[in-house]
Amino acid sequence: MLVVSNVSMQFGGRVLYKDVNLSFTQGNCYGVIGANGAGKSTFLKIISNELEPTSGSVTLTENERMSILKQNQNEYDDFTLVDTVIHGHSRLVEIMKEKDELYAKTDFTEEDGIKAAELESEFATLEGWEADSNARSLLSNLGINEDKHDLLMKEIDSKEKVKVLLAQALFGNPDILLLDEPTNNLDALATKWLENFLFNFKNIVIIVSHDRYFLNKVCTRICDVDYGKINLFVGNYDFWYQSSQLIARQMKDSNAKKEQKMKELQDFIARFSANASKSKQATSRKKELEKIKLEDIVPSSRVYPFIDFKFEREIGKDVLEVNEISKEGLLNKLSFVLRKGDKVAFISKNTLKITSLFNIISGVDKEYEGSYKYGITITPSYIPNDNSSYFEEKDLTLVDWLRPYSKDQTETYIRSWLGRMLFSNEEALKKVDVLSGGEKVRCMMAKTMLTSGNLLILDDPTNHLDLESITALNNGLINYKGVLLFSSHDHELINTVANRIIYLGEDKVIDKYCTYDEFLELYENEI
């Protein structure tokens, strides 16, 4: 059990949260959510004792082991992948070192023999004899090929390092598992394996993630960092979001009677309970949900950008034809035809393939073989994964940056579009050189909405975005009436938006009209 007692945290005059009291219990998975800068990752650092809170304490049940997903990818550069994973269990590593030192002694005594026996017993209890095979199994399940297991960490790329560090955190059945953005850089199969692993994990899991589908799959509780507090809610992310939105709507209706509000909420909870009854946590979760009252849920203070892609020119019969496009080392005679109404998600273990394709058909990359042709009615708009070239003039304010893309040049009009993307009042006069990654993506969204393309090309647009912006983008793409080509690591976005999946493999291309979940079910063994 993990207990957080009266924890407050502030940096200078800024208070992140005050008097937080939470108990984390075995068998539950807690998703920590909140706006960017709310202090989600800071909270994990407080729990792990990496940061000391301004006041309060964190208490861990005696003899329980905490494991953390580490963020420093270079910390284990001189270790093999297997050794890096095993180092996730510090006590096991200590025992291995002590054993080696004892058995290396030339003057081995009876006392040393007793100590060695004690160490061997503890080593066996901690499954030390299976450590190597367990570590290799974790690596394989996360998509690291066996021929790489004995390489040094410095010999593999950064995306694989993330997987190794995740395997390290999962190793040895920790009592408490802290994961900060564990699905970053994971492909679909690795993410699905992790979902199943955590769903069946019997101990405590605390996760910070922007992946809504992942939070819904694994979480039984949501810790919402808002109003300078951290409030605990029963259920997954969808239940928290939908109930919060419901209460927000109810509070706007000042004339509604409380009895009617209560009935609407109770009906909503009843429907959710019915859905939850199909899960493994059915009985206990349903009982807890039935106890929820109106005053238990408060609307979120967070705001959502307004994303709505419109276009003026209707789409004709011909949209886009790609003929045998090749790019050395990435694409090999790729061909496909887009039709009106297509919303195509491109997936690949090598995301450079997708970026290369998008750069070619958007006109950024001229060095390729093959050809592509747009229909005469088509106006493409592109949001690249790397948008740095759009923000090179550092002295521009956001108003001046957006002005070239607007037909109406008045400041009031441009500010209204920036306001949609949460740059209101003085925020609209910020210089582009101080923008965060998420703010730059929101600027690119405003630009794209103003240019009114009827074919959108989006290369991992959820990268750097917070949950609120991802939700707004998801809704905007569902409502978009044009043709869409996109890639994303967000399962929910792909599954709710795409009606066609194109998989770019090393030696094959799979092109299927279906949802993402249907695609994974059909081709799980082929991708």
Side-chain angles (χ1 to χ4, degrees):
M1 188 175 184
L2 178 70
V3 179
V4 175
S5 304
N6 297 314
V7 163
S8 298
M9 191 69 187
Q10 68 181 76
F11 294 99
R14 183 179 176 228
V15 178
L16 287 181
Y17 18 79
K18 187 176 182 180
D19 298 329
V20 175
N21 290 281
L22 296 170
S23 294
F24 299 91
T25 56
Q26 189 176 34
N28 281 308
C29 179
Y30 300 82
V32 182
I33 64 171
N36 281 354
K40 303 183 294 295
S41 295
T42 298
F43 185 58
L44 261 60
K45 289 177 180 178
I46 291 171
I47 291 174
S48 66
N49 288 321
E50 186 178 340
L51 280 178
E52 186 175 343
T54 306
S55 61
S57 63
V58 177
T59 307
L60 180 64
T61 301
E62 189 176 0
N63 296 324
E64 288 193 336
R65 183 172 72 89
M66 182 181 293
S67 185
I68 305 154
L69 174 57
K70 296 187 177 180
Q71 304 297 317
N72 183 359
Q73 295 183 4
N74 302 318
E75 184 177 351
Y76 296 92
D77 271 0
D78 293 324
F79 291 79
T80 67
L81 273 61
V82 169
D83 286 343
T84 299
V85 174
I86 294 173
H87 269 73
H89 198 321
S90 57
R91 178 54 189 157
L92 183 61
V93 173
E94 288 174 8
I95 293 171
M96 293 166 71
K97 184 178 179 181
E98 288 182 50
K99 282 174 54 184
D100 289 343
E101 290 175 351
L102 275 175
Y103 293 139
K105 292 179 67 173
T106 55
D107 55 343
F108 195 83
T109 65
E110 182 179 349
E111 185 178 342
D112 291 332
I114 295 171
K115 178 64 175 176
E118 292 172 350
L119 290 173
E120 291 289 3
S121 176
E122 187 177 359
F123 184 72
T125 300
L126 297 178
E127 298 184 344
W129 296 112
E130 295 82 30
D132 186 89
S133 62
N134 288 343
R136 293 178 188 276
S137 177
L138 282 170
L139 290 170
S140 296
N141 285 328
L142 287 168
I144 304 290
N145 293 334
E146 291 182 11
D147 58 2
K148 294 184 178 181
H149 291 183
D150 294 304
L151 295 178
L152 297 178
M153 284 284 280
K154 62 186 175 185
E155 296 177 303
I156 63 174
D157 65 33
S158 59
K159 289 185 177 181
E160 290 179 314
K161 284 184 178 181
V162 170
K163 291 183 176 182
V164 178
L165 293 177
L166 178 56
Q168 181 191 72
L170 303 178
F171 179 76
N173 193 37
D175 299 291
I176 298 167
L177 183 56
L178 304 184
L179 302 175
D180 194 350
E181 297 291 356
T183 60
N184 278 2
N185 294 312
L186 292 190
D187 55 63
L189 293 182
T191 301
K192 186 175 181 179
W193 177 86
L194 180 61
E195 288 167 4
N196 291 330
F197 180 94
L198 295 178
F199 189 82
N200 294 301
F201 191 69
K202 303 300 182 184
N203 298 328
I204 297 170
V205 187
I206 306 175
I207 299 173
V208 170
S209 178
H210 287 124
D211 189 327
R212 298 159 300 158
Y213 183 90
F214 182 73
L215 291 174
N216 281 328
K217 277 288 187 178
V218 304
C219 289
T220 59
R221 304 286 189 277
I222 293 295
C223 297
D224 182 28
V225 185
D226 203 3
Y227 297 107
K229 300 178 181 179
I230 303 180
N231 293 308
L232 184 65
F233 297 92
V234 176
N236 59 15
Y237 175 78
D238 270 355
F239 178 72
W240 168 85
Y241 174 72
Q242 293 172 28
S243 58
S244 177
Q245 293 294 300
L246 175 61
I247 298 297
R249 289 195 299 271
Q250 290 175 339
M251 290 187 71
K252 288 181 180 179
D253 185 4
S254 58
N255 296 321
K257 294 180 180 180
K258 183 172 181 179
E259 290 80 6
Q260 181 60 35
K261 292 180 180 181
M262 287 292 293
K263 184 178 185 306
E264 187 178 352
L265 180 62
Q266 287 164 354
D267 289 345
F268 167 72
I269 292 171
R271 291 195 304 273
F272 185 87
S273 297
N275 292 333
S277 66
K278 299 175 182 177
S279 73
K280 291 186 178 180
Q281 301 96 346
T283 305
S284 61
R285 186 183 293 184
K286 186 173 181 180
K287 287 180 179 178
E288 289 177 281
L289 286 172
E290 288 170 346
K291 297 176 184 177
I292 295 176
K293 299 177 182 178
L294 181 64
E295 52 268 24
D296 292 333
I297 304 174
V298 294
S300 171
S301 67
R302 296 191 286 280
V303 291
Y304 294 77
F306 178 76
I307 299 177
D308 188 24
F309 299 106
K310 302 287 189 182
F311 55 90
E312 298 172 358
R313 193 172 188 182
E314 282 301 313
I315 299 172
K317 180 180 177 182
D318 297 324
V319 177
L320 172 64
E321 184 175 343
V322 171
N323 294 304
E324 297 193 338
I325 283 185
S326 296
K327 180 77 175 179
E328 187 175 358
L330 293 171
L331 303 172
N332 182 26
K333 294 186 176 181
L334 176 64
S335 299
F336 60 88
V337 175
L338 284 187
R339 302 175 180 90
K340 185 177 180 179
D342 279 357
K343 291 185 176 181
V344 187
F346 286 82
I347 62 173
S348 178
K349 289 184 178 180
N350 183 357
T351 55
L352 290 177
K353 290 177 176 288
I354 302 172
T355 297
S356 178
L357 171 65
F358 287 0
N359 282 338
I360 290 169
I361 63 175
S362 63
V364 174
D365 185 355
K366 309 292 186 182
E367 302 295 325
Y368 64 93
E369 296 178 2
S371 64
Y372 66 92
K373 182 182 180 181
Y374 287 106
I376 59 173
T377 63
I378 300 303
T379 305
S381 293
Y382 181 37
I383 298 182
N385 185 280
D386 179 5
N387 57 37
S388 57
S389 62
Y390 290 87
F391 297 93
E392 291 177 345
E393 295 186 48
K394 307 296 186 183
D395 291 333
L396 288 179
T397 65
L398 295 191
V399 171
D400 290 335
W401 180 88
L402 192 59
R403 197 186 303 276
Y405 307 109
S406 175
K407 294 178 182 178
D408 188 330
Q409 296 287 293
T410 63
E411 184 163 327
T412 301
Y413 182 78
I414 295 170
R415 276 176 171 268
S416 72
W417 281 91
L418 288 168
R420 288 184 175 194
M421 304 311 295
L422 309 183
F423 298 108
S424 56
N425 301 321
E426 295 305 309
E427 287 281 303
L429 299 178
K430 287 172 69 169
K431 297 291 182 70
V432 297
D433 62 345
V434 299
L435 296 178
S436 67
E439 288 174 324
K440 287 180 179 179
V441 175
R442 281 191 274 128
C443 284
M444 295 295 292
M445 295 291 175
K447 165 192 171 295
T448 303
M449 285 190 285
L450 279 170
T451 50
S452 306
N454 56 14
L455 186 149
L456 296 183
I457 305 169
L458 310 179
D459 191 1
D460 203 0
T462 58
N463 200 16
H464 301 301
L465 292 183
D466 57 22
L467 276 168
E468 292 72 44
S469 298
I470 292 172
T471 301
L473 175 62
N474 198 155
N475 292 334
L477 294 180
I478 289 173
N479 295 327
Y480 180 58
K481 304 304 182 185
V483 176
L484 175 64
L485 294 82
F486 72 104
S487 66
S488 178
H489 285 94
D490 190 287
H491 187 118
E492 183 78 8
L493 184 83
I494 301 175
N495 198 50
T496 55
V497 172
N499 57 19
R500 179 180 176 185
I501 308 294
I502 296 180
Y503 168 73
L504 304 181
E506 289 303 314
D507 54 4
K508 70 168 66 175
V509 174
I510 303 174
D511 187 344
K512 182 74 173 178
Y513 278 92
C514 62
T515 67
Y516 188 39
D517 280 346
E518 290 169 344
F519 182 87
L520 292 177
E521 187 174 345
L522 287 169
Y523 298 104
E524 181 175 347
N525 297 324
E526 297 183 43
I527 63 175

